[in-house]
Amino acid sequence: LARGLDPYLEQCSTPESPALAALAARTRAEQWTDRSLVSGSGPLEQEMLSGHVEGQTLKFLVHMTRARRVLDIGMFTGYSALAMAEALPDDGEVVACEVDPYVADVARQCFSESPAGARIRVEVGPALTTVLRLEGPFDLVFIDADKTGYLDYFHYLIGSGLLAQHGVIAVDNTLLQGEPYTDHGARSTNGQAIADFNRAVANDSRVEQVLLPLRDGVTLIRRK
Ligand code: SAM
């Protein structure tokens, strides 16, 4: 029996679907060292994938908010997009933004092997450019792309009609391996960006938020 917190969290959470397990296996099987991802200086590329427990949390959020339209900012090979798509009703839609055409192709292949994949529309390009031309409203938004872009995504979503009135934003990596609350003198660019993001959200009187210590930190945000 596997020991440790992560296997235990997985055991106690609803199992991932065969399609999500296959997507995760496909992602692990890629020779990521043979090519550099656009965002590639972070943790191991395979660790970029949100995975079973975080994916199940996103599915839960889709069900709980009764979302019909979801925006995935930072798709990678599509785990979060497919997880959320699986929880949507048949007429629901995920718009998934990814800047790297190679990973977007891997995602598309995985989506084509799953019925829920038909609910996902892939938009390749810088997410901020994509988001500026999208029509809302979106009931749920998952932000998991470039950390230095988080504040722009947040301000645009809250300030525009893109986020539904009662919509929810989930933001990944808001603990960034502890950097926002430790190493004040030696933060990486991403660590500083997340520290700035967390402070801006905490000081924004328009929103209610909670930072959950799930994996690398997930902040949930909604308009007051
Ligand atoms: N949500 C994904 C999942 O569940 O597997 C993981 C996303 S991964 C942590 C971050 C992704 O954001 C990478 O695939 C990267 O190429 C993409 N990315 C980085 N900067 C971006 C940008 N400006 N616009 C769109 N995608 C971007």
Side-chain angles (χ1 to χ4, degrees), residues 23 27 37-40 43 45-51 54-55 58 72-84 97-101 103-104 123-130 142-147 149-150 153 172-173 215:
L23 186 152
T27 304
L37 286 168
V38 172
S39 63
E45 276 74 7
Q46 293 95 317
E47 289 174 16
M48 306 231 293
L49 182 141
S50 48
E54 192 169 356
L58 294 172
D72 186 56
I73 300 180
M75 173 182 72
F76 189 45
T77 54
Y79 195 98
S80 51
L82 186 58
M84 295 188 287
C97 308
E98 174 54 54
V99 74
D100 183 327
V103 291
E123 294 279 351
V124 178
L128 195 59
T129 312
T130 303
F142 182 48
I143 302 179
D144 189 16
D146 50 324
K147 311 308 160 202
Y150 273 23
Y153 300 130
D172 201 17
N173 305 110
R215 244 175 136 237

Side-chain angles (χ1 to χ4, degrees), residues 18 28 82 88 96-97 111 142 146 150 162 166 195 202 206 213 222:
R28 278 194 299 274
L82 186 58
L88 283 173
C97 308
F111 297 160
F142 182 48
D146 50 324
Y150 273 23
L162 205 60
H166 300 289
R206 297 172 297 176
R222 69 167 198 92

Side-chain angles (χ1 to χ4, degrees), residues 55-67:
Q56 179 54 33
T57 306
L58 294 172
K59 290 177 98 156
F60 203 99
L61 284 173
V62 172
H63 284 134
M64 203 165 66
T65 59
R66 299 184 186 182

Side-chain angles (χ1 to χ4, degrees), residues 114-142:
S114 157
R119 299 183 195 129
I120 304 171
R121 190 174 104 208
V122 176
E123 294 279 351
V124 178
L128 195 59
T129 312
T130 303
V131 158
L132 289 173
R133 66 172 166 70
L134 286 177
E135 281 189 27
F138 287 92
D139 307 301
L140 177 66
V141 181
F142 182 48

Side-chain angles (χ1 to χ4, degrees), residues 89-104:
D90 285 343
D91 64 346
E93 179 187 41
V94 176
V95 178
C97 308
E98 174 54 54
V99 74
D100 183 327
Y102 182 86
V103 291

